[in-house]
């Protein structure tokens, strides 16, 4: 029995003139994400995308799994392909619906007749199908108001379909429709969640990671790559820049007052990130900051870090509690990796009593001893780039 | 992929100073040769009835005999297991259904002992974890007070894996057996086997765990000494290999590798003397330095020397040293994790355990290695910023 995947795109329907552009990007993303599974025909009709495997032993379950992670898809379903005759539809229904219908009590049938040449009207299709299902599965009852499951019969121009289960898509907008931004990723719980959240709104991702060997290790870098590869299941390929940061941290520790260590470090990171982001085509930075979570994430601290960049800094987690963030990180399967206990650049040289209410002036004073331009230039020139799939 | 990259960064043509021999040792030539031979020529299943299987069985029994001899046990008192951890699990889980419901262990055992006992504690066993003094040795009076007729098992390690302290096993066994003859005495000797003379008859223990890869053999093979007459329950059930105590086709290649390593051990007392010289040389070097403290007790087995370089985090130092081609272990589990429970039990404060390094020696080390390590440590102290200032 031949099966296909039917995709309903969510917000896309709202996007007016741009709609077909959005749809094209979504289809491109789907094609790219399913490419390694084998030959697949993709067809677009009446705000539905049809994915039709063109190979005998196509891994259909894996395809469903991958589709469930693609942004820009509100819901999708698997459907059985039938000939456009009532006999074929009714005979396939029994086998195709067996496993679904065995575990429920009530159902109803809805029919959609896009091809008006089909000899039966929609109510007639419903009646015939309903009767047939009741004869196949005598334990079922029809409930038109609150059924456990709705069985859809669709008569399209090219074929007829039976489907019974609507699956939730990842929602959001297709990656790439909103442009590109760069996520600052340390290896903690927050940044992968922030990256995922913004990819969900259609952003393509670049990533920037600061490494401070020997304070941080090769394993910490591997951890960041693992985290990004988990985000990439949703966002597609991510271009990662690894910036050597040891010298800057050493210089900060040597020349700046201790209570300003973290703040000045953040300011240096933002300056470097802005340059790298611009060079790689990003229009904004993304961080995993959440208001008041740590000393460097108080409002005055954010003011002082924002003041060094001329690019929007997107902070999707700013109003979230740690619990909410952790819950998303579990859902997108980054939590277990995030809590691996390796030092990251943010935990080196943590001041005992960090400044929570810095003023801009004091920050600027505190970093006077640094040769900022040279340090930044050197760090950028030694930055290494890799692609994460 | 990352691991390969990582290893490529180590230049094996340059001199490597490997001081992490309690983690694992370099497999000796003879061990590798035997493994190769068992994989390419004598690869039959020792349980097969035909001569090809019989040949494998004969080799395996030769290995069993040689390993048994090393600890003055009888040949059929050795059961091969998949690791030292599995040997510990097998020994401890053997009492899971016993009528006596008390287990006594020490607070500085290896996790494979502590965690397994914790599992039994959750199932209703009463567990006593003996404290230890500053030199990492258990209190025999405390043991005497705790042992009673209701004690199913006493499990105490011979040599501690973090600091090298040696437990008075012979005296402990005497105390246990005089108060409760039925109580089983298990000893985790993974860090002791091949590094000090062991005579199981003389010690009087019932069960003892050993492992090949700590003595220049392959990973993935361990052994459990089980005194004749001790009624052990199988931990892994199946085809009844290893006298029914450890099912699963024996890994003849790794067993032969184990034999090669044991054949290569040579005179243990002579080797111990050589390691003692290196250890004492290191102690002398470090005692001259105001910033380095020795955590291992005076009477520790000289194969392990735990030190603290005060003010420098273990993980940072470790990564600094790896760039100098010197490989050591951090004293505590990890920088962000819990303080090492062993160092805590010895009464060391947090600054000491946060900066702990474990050096562990093998016959391949020389005094020159210590010179290289010490000069690298001095270099690190000049270059890395102290985390406490």
């Amino acid at each position: 029995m031949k099966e296909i995947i039917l995709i309903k795109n969510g917000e896309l329907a709202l996007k007016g003139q741009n709609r077909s552009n959005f749809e094209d990007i979504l289809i491109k993303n789907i094609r790219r994400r399913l490419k390694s599974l084998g030959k697949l025909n993709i067809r677009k009709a009446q705000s539905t995308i049809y994915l039709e495997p063109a190979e005998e032993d196509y891994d259909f379950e894996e395809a469903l799994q991958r589709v469930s992670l693609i942004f820009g898809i509100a819901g999708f379903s698997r459907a059985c392909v039938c000939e456009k005759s009532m006999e074929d539809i009714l005979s396939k229904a029994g086998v195709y619906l067996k496993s679904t219908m065995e575990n429920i009590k009530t159902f109803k049938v809805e029919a959609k007749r896009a091809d008006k040449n089909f000899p039966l009207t929609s109510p007639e299709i419903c009646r015939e199908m309903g009767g047939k299902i009741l004869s196949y599965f005598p334990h079922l009852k029809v409930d038109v108001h609150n059924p456990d499951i709705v069985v859809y019969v669709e008569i399209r121009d090219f074929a007829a379909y039976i489907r019974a289960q609507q699956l939730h898509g990842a929602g959001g907008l297709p990656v790439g429709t909103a442009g590109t931004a760069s996520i600052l990723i340390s290896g903690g719980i927050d940044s992968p969640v922030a990256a995922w959240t913004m990819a969900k709104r259609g952003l393509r991702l670049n990533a920037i990671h600061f490494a401070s060997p020997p304070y941080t290790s090769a394993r910490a870098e591997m951890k960041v790559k693992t985290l990004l590869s988990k985000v990439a299941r949703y966002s597609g390929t991510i271009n990662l820049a690894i910036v050597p940061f040891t010298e800057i941290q050493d210089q900060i520790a040597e020349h700046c007052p201790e209570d300003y260590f973290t703040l000045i470090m953040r300011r240096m990171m933002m300056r470097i990130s802005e340059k790298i982001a611009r060079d790689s085509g990003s229009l904004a930075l993304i961080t995993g900051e959440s208001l008041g979570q740590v000393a460097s994430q108080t409002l005055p601290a954010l003011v002082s870090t924002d003041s060094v960049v001329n690019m929007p800094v997107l902070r999707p987690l700013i109003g979230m509690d740690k619990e909410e963030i952790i819950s998303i990180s579990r859902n997108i399967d980054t939590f277990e990796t995030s809590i691996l206990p390796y030092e990251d650049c943010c935990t080196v040289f943590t001041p005992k009593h960090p400044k929570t209410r810095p003023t801009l002036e004091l920050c600027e004073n505190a970093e006077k001893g640094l040769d900022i331009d040279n340090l930044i230039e050197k760090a950028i020139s030694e930055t290494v780039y890799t692609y994460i799939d | 992929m990352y691991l390969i990259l990582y290893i490529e960064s180590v230049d094996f043509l340059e001199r490597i100073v490997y001081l992490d021999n309690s983690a694992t040792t370099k497999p000796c030539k003879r061990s590798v040769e035997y493994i190769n031979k068992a994989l390419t020529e004598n690869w039959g299943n020792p349980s097969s009835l035909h001569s090809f299987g019989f040949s494998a069985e004969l080799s395996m029994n030769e290995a069993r005999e040689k390993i048994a001899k090393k600890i003055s046990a009888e040949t059929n008192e050795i059961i091969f297991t998949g690791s030292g951890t599995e040997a510990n699990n097998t020994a401890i889980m053997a009492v899971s259904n016993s009528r006596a419901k008390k287990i006594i262990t020490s607070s500085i055992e290896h996790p494979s002992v502590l965690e397994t006992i914790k599992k039994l504690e959750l199932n209703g066993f009463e567990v006593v974890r003996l404290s230890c003094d500053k030199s990492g040795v258990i209190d025999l009076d405390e043991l005497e007070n705790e042992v009673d007729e209701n004690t199913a098992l006493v499990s105490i390690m011979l040599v501690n894996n973090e600091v090298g302290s040696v437990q008075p096993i012979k005296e402990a066994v005497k105390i246990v057996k005089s108060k409760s003859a039925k109580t089983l005495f298990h000893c985790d000797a993974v860090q002791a086997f091949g590094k000090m003379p062991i005579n199981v008859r003389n010690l009087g223990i019932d069960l003892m765990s050993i492992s090949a890869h700590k003595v220049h053999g392959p990973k993935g093979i361990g052994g459990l000494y089980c005194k004749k007459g001790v009624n052990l329950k199988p931990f892994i059930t199946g085809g009844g290999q290893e006298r029914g105590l450890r099912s699963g086709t024996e890994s003849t290649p790794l067993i032969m590798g184990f034999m090669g390593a044991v054949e290569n051990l040579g005179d243990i007392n002579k080797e111990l003397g050589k390691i003692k010289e290196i250890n004492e040389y290191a102690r002398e070097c470090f005692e001259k330095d105001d910033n380095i403290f020795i955590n291992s007790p005076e009477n520790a087995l000289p194969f392990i020397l735990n030190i603290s370089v005060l003010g420098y985090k273990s993980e940072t130092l470790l990564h600094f040293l790896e760039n100098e081609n010197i490989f050591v272990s951090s004293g505590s589990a990890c920088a962000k994790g819990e303080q090492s429970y062993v160092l805590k039990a010895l009464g060391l404060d947090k600054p000491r355990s946060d900066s702990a390094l474990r050096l562990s020696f093998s016959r391949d080390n020389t005094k020159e290695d210590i010179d290289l390590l010490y000069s690298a440590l001095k270099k690190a102290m000049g270059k890395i910023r102290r985390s406490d200032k």
Side-chain angles (χ1 to χ4, degrees):
Chain A
M1 200 168 295
K2 201 170 164 193
E3 268 195 291
I4 63 160
I5 301 173
L6 292 174
I7 290 173
K8 297 268 181 222
N9 36 32
E11 280 182 58
L12 291 192
L14 303 173
K15 293 292 168 192
Q17 300 288 323
N18 289 326
R19 190 173 128 185
S20 87
N21 185 23
F22 275 57
E23 274 178 351
D24 289 346
I25 292 180
L26 176 60
I27 286 172
K28 213 194 264 171
N29 290 348
I30 294 171
R31 202 182 291 281
R32 198 179 295 140
R33 224 66 69 70
L34 299 184
K35 198 175 162 191
S36 61
L37 289 181
K39 219 169 143 15
L40 182 76
N41 294 324
I42 301 184
R43 166 152 51 184
K44 182 171 91 168
Q46 292 132 325
S47 84
T48 302
I49 296 167
Y50 296 77
L51 307 184
E52 192 180 341
E55 280 172 14
E56 274 298 306
D57 52 352
Y58 193 84
D59 190 345
F60 200 74
E61 299 297 329
E62 172 66 18
L64 284 168
Q65 167 63 23
R66 291 192 194 181
V67 165
S68 74
L69 304 182
I70 297 173
F71 291 130
I73 296 174
F76 60 102
S77 51
R78 52 197 303 172
C80 169
V81 185
C82 308
E83 280 167 35
K84 278 167 69 174
S85 78
M86 215 49 218
E87 293 79 63
D88 193 48
I89 295 171
L90 293 178
S91 76
K92 278 183 175 148
V95 184
Y96 186 66
L97 298 172
K98 192 165 188 281
S99 61
T100 316
M101 297 316 235
E102 269 170 354
N103 300 315
I104 57 151
K105 293 202 178 85
T106 59
F107 77 103
K108 76 166 175 179
V109 180
E110 277 188 18
K112 208 184 256 173
R113 199 176 52 131
D115 175 10
K116 301 296 178 198
N117 292 326
F118 194 71
L120 277 73
T121 64
S122 293
E124 284 168 347
I125 297 172
C126 285
R127 216 165 11 226
E128 289 219 12
M129 187 69 166
K132 195 73 181 174
I133 289 174
L134 284 172
S135 75
Y136 277 132
F137 312 103
H139 72 283
L140 289 179
K141 282 202 175 88
V142 175
D143 180 346
V144 288
H145 301 294
N146 207 2
D148 292 338
I149 263 179
V150 183
V151 176
Y152 292 92
V153 180
E154 285 186 45
I155 315 292
R156 296 277 183 176
D157 292 338
F158 29 85
Y161 303 104
I162 309 167
R163 60 188 169 91
Q165 271 171 323
Q166 187 68 20
L167 302 163
H168 280 290
L173 297 170
V175 167
T177 55
T180 308
S182 292
I183 172 81
L184 278 72
I185 181 161
S186 62
I189 296 167
D190 303 339
S191 33
V193 174
W196 176 85
T197 310
M198 292 322 298
K200 187 174 179 179
R201 294 312 297 167
L203 280 176
R204 183 171 304 291
L205 298 176
N206 290 325
I208 302 169
H209 173 67
F210 293 87
S212 308
Y215 305 106
T216 63
S217 67
R219 282 196 177 88
E221 228 174 271
M222 184 176 87
K223 176 182 169 186
V224 164
K225 288 175 179 168
T226 309
L227 285 172
L228 286 174
S229 70
K230 297 202 174 215
V231 174
R233 291 181 308 146
Y234 296 90
S235 70
T237 307
I238 299 170
N239 185 5
L240 166 68
I242 298 172
V243 186
F245 204 56
T246 315
E247 193 186 351
I248 294 179
Q249 280 188 312
D250 277 339
Q251 290 286 322
I252 293 173
E254 197 160 315
H255 296 291
C256 306
E258 193 204 330
D259 47 354
Y260 277 88
F261 278 5
T262 313
L263 271 175
I264 295 172
M265 186 186 83
R266 299 291 299 173
R267 281 162 67 90
M268 292 301 280
M269 285 178 174
M270 294 302 260
R271 289 181 175 115
I272 293 171
S273 298
E274 182 182 27
K275 285 216 161 90
I276 290 178
R278 274 197 208 293
D279 288 347
S280 51
S282 290
L283 292 178
L285 297 175
I286 308 168
T287 73
E289 287 157 315
S290 158
L291 193 64
Q293 190 183 118
V294 292
S296 65
Q297 298 176 18
T298 62
L299 197 52
L302 294 182
V303 169
S304 81
T305 48
D306 264 12
S307 68
V308 295
V309 288
N310 290 314
M311 184 178 250
V313 181
L314 308 176
R315 297 185 169 93
L317 314 186
I318 197 71
M320 283 192 198
D321 290 348
K322 196 75 191 179
E323 286 309 311
E324 298 173 76
I325 298 169
I326 287 175
S327 142
I328 297 177
S329 92
R330 283 189 200 278
N331 284 340
I332 63 173
D333 193 30
T334 54
F335 184 74
E336 293 300 321
T337 310
S338 283
I339 58 174
L340 290 175
Y342 308 125
E343 288 266 17
D344 62 51
C345 54
C346 298
T347 55
V348 179
F349 307 136
T350 323
K352 285 198 187 68
H353 303 289
K355 263 280 180 271
T356 54
R357 294 164 191 280
T359 65
L360 214 49
E361 200 187 348
L362 288 173
C363 271
E364 279 159 8
N365 257 335
E367 62 189 21
K368 267 210 174 111
L370 296 178
D371 184 356
I372 292 175
D373 292 342
N374 267 332
L375 285 172
I376 290 176
E377 199 173 310
K378 193 164 170 232
I380 290 176
S381 72
E382 286 167 9
T383 294
V384 179
Y385 293 86
T386 37
Y387 284 100
I388 309 288
D389 283 312
Chain B
M1 175 186 79
Y2 299 128
L3 198 70
I4 291 166
L5 283 177
Y6 183 62
I7 286 189
E8 276 172 357
S9 73
V10 177
D11 189 347
F12 282 103
L13 293 173
E14 269 180 55
R15 191 196 164 105
I16 286 187
V17 178
Y18 184 77
L19 295 170
D20 199 10
N21 290 284
S22 286
T24 196
T25 49
K26 181 181 173 181
C28 64
K29 261 201 184 124
R30 192 185 304 212
S31 181
V32 176
E33 270 166 26
Y34 283 7
I35 293 170
N36 193 23
K37 201 172 165 208
L39 283 169
T40 52
E41 296 169 24
N42 194 14
W43 45 263
N45 185 332
S47 297
S48 292
L49 294 177
H50 45 66
S51 57
F52 200 42
F54 184 52
S55 163
E57 188 188 348
L58 284 180
S59 304
M60 186 173 77
N61 285 341
E62 188 189 351
R64 203 188 302 277
E65 189 182 340
K66 282 182 175 152
I67 294 162
K69 222 172 229 169
K70 213 70 199 169
I71 55 172
S72 308
E74 283 177 32
T75 304
N76 57 9
E77 288 177 319
I78 300 292
I79 300 153
F80 287 114
T81 62
S83 60
T85 289
E86 190 196 312
N88 283 339
N89 272 264
T90 307
I92 293 165
M93 291 309 281
V95 301
S96 61
N97 283 336
S98 99
R99 234 169 291 156
K101 287 290 177 208
K102 187 173 178 181
I103 297 175
I104 300 174
T105 185
S106 85
S107 50
I108 59 167
E109 295 296 313
H110 187 268
S112 58
V113 168
L114 289 179
E115 293 299 316
T116 311
I117 289 179
K118 203 189 269 171
K119 203 159 80 180
L120 289 178
E121 191 174 22
L122 290 173
N123 285 336
F125 275 80
E126 178 197 350
V127 176
V128 176
R129 296 174 181 85
L130 303 173
S131 59
C132 61
D133 62 14
K134 273 186 183 158
S135 55
V137 177
I138 55 160
D139 183 352
L140 290 174
D141 292 337
E142 194 186 352
L143 174 66
E144 185 159 18
N145 287 335
E146 292 291 353
V147 179
D148 55 22
E149 296 272 324
N150 188 38
T151 307
L153 175 79
V154 175
S155 178
I156 294 170
M157 69 198 332
L158 186 45
V159 172
N160 177 265
N161 53 309
E162 282 194 46
V163 294
S165 57
V166 184
Q167 303 301 341
I169 296 298
K170 193 176 171 183
E171 292 76 3
V173 173
K174 255 190 201 144
I175 291 171
V176 170
K177 294 291 178 184
S178 72
K179 289 198 76 178
S180 166
K182 287 186 317 209
T183 301
L184 282 182
F185 198 109
H186 165 247
C187 177
D188 170 5
V190 167
Q191 292 291 353
F193 174 74
K195 298 176 180 180
M196 62 185 276
I198 297 176
N199 181 327
V200 286
R201 294 266 169 272
N202 191 6
L203 290 174
I205 48 182
D206 301 304
L207 300 158
M208 187 177 88
S209 310
I210 58 177
S211 173
H213 76 108
K214 309 289 191 193
V215 288
H216 306 278
K219 294 153 193 67
I221 187 78
L224 181 66
Y225 158 75
C226 177
K227 191 163 92 181
K228 206 187 263 173
V230 169
N231 195 8
L232 199 65
K233 267 190 3 177
F235 180 60
I236 292 176
T237 46
Q241 289 87 347
E242 299 295 285
R243 294 192 286 124
L245 293 173
R246 205 283 189 176
S247 289
T249 299
E250 291 94 341
S251 173
T252 44
L254 298 182
I255 289 169
M256 296 317 287
F258 199 167
M259 176 169 98
V262 166
E263 282 179 7
N264 239 21
L265 276 175
D267 182 346
I268 289 181
N269 277 315
K270 216 164 132 193
E271 190 168 312
L272 198 55
K274 188 198 156 194
I275 301 292
K276 201 166 179 204
E277 264 181 46
I278 295 174
N279 185 300
E280 274 164 9
Y281 182 71
R283 281 175 188 256
E284 274 168 36
C285 278
F286 298 143
E287 268 156 16
K288 278 184 283 180
D289 195 297
D290 293 339
N291 217 31
I292 303 181
F293 295 85
I294 308 279
N295 300 327
S296 288
E298 285 286 336
N299 59 357
L301 190 70
F303 280 84
I304 295 177
L305 182 63
N306 195 301
I307 62 171
S308 284
V309 186
L310 223 58
Y312 299 89
K313 283 188 192 167
S314 312
E315 205 185 314
T316 310
L317 272 180
L318 182 151
H319 293 308
F320 181 90
L321 291 174
E322 84 191 355
N323 278 335
E324 306 282 319
N325 272 346
I326 299 174
F327 301 90
V328 301
S329 171
S330 57
S332 58
C334 53
K336 267 191 187 169
E338 293 276 300
Q339 191 182 354
S340 151
Y341 61 86
V342 174
L343 298 181
K344 209 171 169 183
L346 261 64
L348 295 176
D349 58 13
K350 196 153 184 308
R352 272 287 272 281
S353 64
D354 279 353
S355 59
L357 294 178
R358 181 188 69 181
L359 316 174
S360 46
F361 311 115
S362 81
R363 57 178 178 238
D364 301 332
N365 290 121
T366 59
K367 283 183 185 171
E368 201 195 341
D369 290 344
I370 304 299
D371 292 333
L372 289 167
L373 168 72
Y374 186 40
S375 64
L377 281 176
K378 280 195 282 198
K379 187 173 163 193
M381 288 188 270
K383 247 184 146 172
I384 302 175
R385 302 211 63 85
R386 288 186 69 126
S387 56
D388 61 345
K389 281 194 177 155

